[in-house]
Amino acid sequence: MGKRSPGAMELAGAVMEIHTHQRRPILRSTFKGLLLLSVLLISISYLFVYKDRLSDYLQSNTSLKQTNPIYRAPLPLEHPNRTFLQHHRAFPRNYHFILDDTDVCRSNTPFLVLVVPVAPGNRKARDAIRKTWGTETLVQGELIQTVFLLGLPSRGNITELQEHVSMENLQYHDLIQSDFIDSYNNLTIKTMVIMDWLATQCPKVSYAMKIDSDMFLNVENLVRMLKSPGIPKELYLTGMLARNPPVIRDRSSKWYVPMETYPDPHYPTYTLGMGYLFSIDLTSRFVEVSKSIEPINIEDAYIGMCMKKLGLSLTQPPDPNQFGRLFHVYNRCTFSKIITYILGSSEQLVTFWTDLKKPGPPC
């Protein structure tokens, strides 16, 4: 990766300190050799770690194992349950959960599970959600539960950040972490891991929602919509629909997809990834069909591709205006009627939520 691991730098410093206190040439040469050999070996190990998505790092992180009894190290590459040779990289069972002790779907059966994909280091966003719409656990008589889905940290002080994630989970027990590298280009993997977790851990819930961490969510309106007449209980996917949008071929765009990866000029209709809702029966179907669909890094378009491959249609929400994009000016009356809005910061989420929930009619 071009950087030494913390262990490499500590070892190098220790060897250099010993070296400066030795006077004999033979010892000086010996320690020089040990230094070069150690740095070389650790650098090679570091590259291997990232090749296997930090599995060796996690297995050797004894402090993480001691502070989190639920920690489970990823399977080694040679393990018979590894499926790299059988399936492409977006197939979620190529990856394995290393934090997953949430009580969601285990001691109860929620009506709706909200899953928030979020970067490991974005504690601020998680705390804002825990103070706002994540507190909505019983709405119109229905149990609602929220969890956060993380991959492995890919930058900064990885060991320290992973320990912070582990300690946070010990406090809240609402983090689910898998052993893929958490990055923008891996959002499709992240989404498919969400589908796999829901399919295996929450098969009896009615609905689930994938919702980004920068979103305002009006849970009352969401549940009201789901309980309205005519809402399907099976094969249901809804949200803000993008109808056959063009594929971006501009190499400077972060949404660029090359012709060789996806040759069609348009995507099938899909729901915008900021927040979409689906019946739980779709999750296992998405996991299975992902074996046969070439992955792209546009995760919401990929879900649309899965729907097309399954021969299924998306459903327009009863009131499409409830799934909003960016708001222009905060208005309490407007926010009392919508389901989602994209926000600019976690501070906005707390401020707007507090104002919406204050006593008195919003309009």
Side-chain angles (χ1 to χ4, degrees), residues 37-81:
L37 179 61
S38 299
V39 172
L40 178 61
L41 289 175
I42 293 174
S43 297
I44 292 173
S45 298
Y46 190 62
L47 291 173
F48 177 76
V49 162
Y50 271 84
K51 184 179 179 182
D52 198 26
R53 298 184 309 280
L54 294 179
S55 62
D56 286 349
Y57 149 70
L58 288 167
Q59 288 171 335
S60 63
N61 191 336
T62 55
S63 63
L64 177 61
K65 294 178 183 179
Q66 292 168 353
T67 57
N68 195 329
I70 308 301
Y71 171 87
R72 293 189 294 279
L75 296 174
L77 185 63
E78 65 275 9
H79 193 282
N81 287 343

Side-chain angles (χ1 to χ4, degrees), residues 252-268:
S252 64
S253 172
K254 72 175 183 177
W255 297 292
Y256 164 71
V257 173
M259 184 81 69
E260 56 269 25
T261 300
Y262 188 83
D264 293 346
H266 292 84
Y267 295 117

Side-chain angles (χ1 to χ4, degrees), residues 74-95:
L75 296 174
L77 185 63
E78 65 275 9
H79 193 282
N81 287 343
R82 283 283 194 179
T83 54
F84 290 109
L85 298 179
Q86 290 90 341
H87 306 295
H88 62 63
R89 65 182 181 88
F91 182 64
R93 287 169 190 167
N94 286 339
Y95 311 94

Side-chain angles (χ1 to χ4, degrees), residues 251-300:
R251 292 179 180 272
S252 64
S253 172
K254 72 175 183 177
W255 297 292
Y256 164 71
V257 173
M259 184 81 69
E260 56 269 25
T261 300
Y262 188 83
D264 293 346
H266 292 84
Y267 295 117
T269 297
Y270 62 83
T271 49
L272 295 184
M274 59 190 187
Y276 50 83
L277 185 75
F278 44 92
S279 56
I280 205 66
D281 61 316
L282 280 178
T283 58
S284 60
R285 293 171 183 253
F286 288 151
V287 171
E288 185 63 24
V289 78
S290 71
K291 297 178 184 178
S292 59
I293 302 177
E294 181 70 19
I296 60 173
N297 63 332
I298 316 296
E299 60 90 10
D300 42 11

